């Protein structure tokens, strides 16, 4: 278990084709992400993107909708970090959509978080399935008759967590599959497949790519046969990532360990500075010992990340905070180099009007804390 601001490194697993050599089984997070691509002497550390539609037949690749070496390189890296077989998609929602449409049939029962990402619930409501919404922290009903349980831990935006191992055991006992949206935690912060989940989904737009310039997502399945079904659905449906975006995300992956360490340190410092602040209520960060989610988070997360939430008085108070800040940018994404804040009620989340999801960036900690406190007045 990593400390809130520490590297939280573990040597479990191997990155894949880039993790050659007997030492890879014991490599830490930093080594694994830096060496996440196979490199031969005389070749670049990360090969450039392959921009091809058709290929000359006779090799492994036939057509750009089905095959691309740049995809395979990042899929190998992310699959190794997750502990399964990875399939890339052009966004996190494309990944979730492919999973739901592959696994579910009309009339199936789907369990989704009532407090998770709102577009997941929107998508689920459009499918011809029975949808049951449950808060991330529970309590959970019986999973009898359920086909798929989709968890999100920590939840977005509330940062509640659920006991993935316990829920996976209960769901499997009833014949249900378990998928976990791991976007907030990242594959370095949490490994749901090791906790018993069947599938991981994530938006790599956020921390994995990490530079606010890419849309990307992925599905990683523990069962290679399920991964192949999802890959076939991608080929048929055409929801494929661009090779340049894929290459950018793979380049960003190399610094994920370093970025997460600074972001977590900044989140810890901000949580300490905001605790008891007269303008702030509802402060949440799973890394804080007093947070309601901390006990479970400390048991299953390897590091706590840089996202925290708090509530200001109202919409106008949020606007004043953002206007006064020199370092915090209003943005609806998270996990990037820059510290960003998003008033989640504007998107329809069932949260207070003044709730802010703040994503701590990689600024110097003392500068960021001083700026946030100054912006709060």
């Amino acid at each position: 278990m990593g400390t809130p601001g520490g590297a939280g490194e573990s040597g479990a697993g191997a990155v894949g084709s880039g993790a050659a050599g007997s030492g890879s089984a014991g490599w830490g997070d930093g080594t694994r992400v830096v060496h996440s691509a196979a490199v031969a002497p005389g070749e670049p550390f990360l090969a450039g993107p392959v921009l091809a539609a058709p290929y000359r037949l006779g090799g492994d690749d036939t057509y750009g909708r089905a095959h691309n070496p740049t995809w395979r390189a990042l899929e190998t890296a992310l699959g190794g970090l997750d502990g399964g077989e990875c399939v890339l998609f052009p966004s996190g929602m494309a990944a979730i959509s492919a999973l739901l449409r592959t696994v579910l049939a009309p009339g199936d029962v789907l369990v989704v978080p009532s407090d998770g990402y709102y577009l997941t619930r929107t998508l689920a409501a459009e499918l011809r399935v029975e949808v049951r919404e449950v808060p991330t922290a529970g309590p959970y009903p019986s999973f009898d008759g359920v086909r798929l349980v989709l968890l999100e831990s920590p939840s977005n935006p509330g940062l509640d967590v659920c006991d993935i191992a316990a829920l996976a055991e209960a769901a499997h006992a009833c014949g249900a599959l378990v998928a976990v949206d791991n976007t907030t935690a990242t594959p370095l912060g949490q490994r749901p497949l090791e906790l018993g989940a069947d599938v991981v989904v994530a938006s790599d737009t956020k921390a994995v790519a990490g530079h606010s310039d890419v849309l990307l997502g992925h599905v990683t399945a523990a069962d290679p046969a399920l991964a192949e079904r999802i890959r076939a659905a991608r080929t048929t449906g055409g929801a494929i990532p661009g090779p340049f975006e894929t290459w950018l995300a793979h380049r960003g992956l190399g610094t994920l360990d370093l970025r997460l360490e600074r972001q977590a340190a900044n989140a810890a410092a901000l949580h300490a500075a905001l605790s008891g602040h007269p303008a702030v209520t509802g402060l949440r960060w799973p890394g804080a010992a007093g947070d309601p989610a901390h006990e479970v988070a400390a048991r299953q997360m390897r590091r706590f990340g840089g996202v925290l939430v708090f509530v200001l008085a109202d919409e106008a108070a949020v606007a004043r905070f953002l206007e006064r800040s020199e370092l915090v940018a209003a943005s609806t994404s998270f996990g990037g180099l820059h510290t960003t804040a998003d008033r989640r009620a504007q998107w329809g989340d069932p949260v207070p009007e003044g709730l802010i999801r703040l994503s701590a960036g990689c600024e110097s900690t003392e500068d960021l804390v001083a700026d946030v406190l100054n912006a709060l007045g």
Side-chain angles (χ1 to χ4, degrees), residues 8 29 33 81 185-191 256-257 260 302-303:
D29 286 348
V33 295
L81 294 172
T186 83
L188 297 192
Q190 182 172 264
R191 294 177 181 159
L256 179 60
D257 173 62
L260 289 179
R302 304 171 66 250
R303 53 176 104 199

Side-chain angles (χ1 to χ4, degrees), residues 61-133:
D61 299 322
T62 60
Y63 187 59
R65 182 164 36 80
H67 306 120
N68 187 283
T70 310
W71 300 349
R72 286 197 298 272
L74 183 54
E75 287 173 340
T76 298
L78 291 176
L81 294 172
D82 282 332
E85 186 167 337
C86 174
V87 184
L88 285 178
F89 287 90
S91 69
M93 282 307 301
I96 291 175
S97 178
L99 171 68
L100 298 187
R101 297 179 191 280
T102 299
V103 169
L104 298 173
D108 280 346
V109 179
L110 167 67
V111 174
V112 298
S114 60
D115 53 346
Y117 186 48
Y118 74 102
L119 278 182
T120 299
R121 296 192 298 277
T122 300
L123 172 63
E126 295 174 354
L127 303 176
R128 291 184 294 167
V129 299
E130 179 184 337
V131 180
R132 299 176 185 172
E133 297 186 8

